[in-house]
């Protein structure tokens, strides 16, 4: 029986949180800009950058960070916070 504070349990919750944040982010992009990102290709990032008026580096950073974090078995609190802040910066500055 695992303790509720077990690092494995906590990390599963963090992984679920990251996936949920990305789903909501993609839903926001689809609803606001009518862009469906499937392949995460540079052309998609450019289109999103132009429509949202967000620097392409931030767009790429969000998707690269998600790709890295979703493949990991351990995610630190700092990494989660940094991922959240990147998405939050997009929301606050997009047009």
């Amino acid at each position: 029986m695992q303790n509720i504070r077990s690092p494995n349990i906590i990390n599963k919750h963090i992984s679920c949180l990251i996936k949920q944040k990305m789903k909501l982010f993609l839903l926001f992009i689809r609803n606001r800009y009518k862009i469906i990102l499937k392949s995460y290709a540079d052309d998609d990032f450019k289109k999103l950058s132009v429509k949202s008026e967000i620097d392409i580096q931030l767009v790429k950073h969000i998707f690269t960070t998600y790709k890295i974090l979703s493949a990991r078995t351990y995610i630190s609190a700092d990494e989660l916070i940094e991922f959240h802040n990147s998405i939050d910066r997009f929301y606050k500055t997009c047009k």
Side-chain angles (χ1 to χ4, degrees):
M1 186 168 153
Q2 288 185 327
N3 186 343
I4 196 104
R5 295 182 185 194
S6 166
N8 291 335
I9 298 292
I10 293 170
N11 209 51
K12 284 181 184 177
H13 290 291
I14 291 173
S15 288
C16 288
L17 181 61
I18 287 172
K19 288 177 183 170
Q20 187 63 30
K21 285 195 73 60
M22 194 61 170
K23 283 181 187 176
L24 292 171
F25 181 64
L26 291 171
L27 182 64
F28 174 82
I29 291 168
R30 186 172 45 242
N31 289 335
R32 186 162 190 160
Y33 304 111
K34 310 299 184 234
I35 297 173
I36 298 173
L37 299 172
K38 292 181 180 177
S39 64
Y40 300 161
D42 282 344
D43 290 343
D44 293 334
F45 297 151
K46 176 104 173 127
K47 189 186 310 181
L48 177 58
S49 176
V50 169
K51 282 193 170 188
S52 64
E53 297 181 22
I54 296 291
D55 183 55
I56 194 165
Q57 293 306 318
L58 176 58
V59 173
K60 285 182 177 181
H61 176 74
I62 291 169
F63 286 92
T64 301
T65 302
Y66 174 73
K67 184 177 178 181
I68 291 168
L69 295 180
S70 64
R72 285 203 186 147
T73 56
Y74 175 78
I75 301 161
S76 72
D78 289 339
E79 291 169 323
L80 174 62
I81 292 167
E82 196 275 322
F83 180 64
H84 168 80
N85 288 341
S86 296
I87 292 176
D88 195 49
R89 195 171 335 125
F90 183 97
Y91 288 144
K92 287 180 179 177
T93 57
C94 67
K95 303 294 183 217

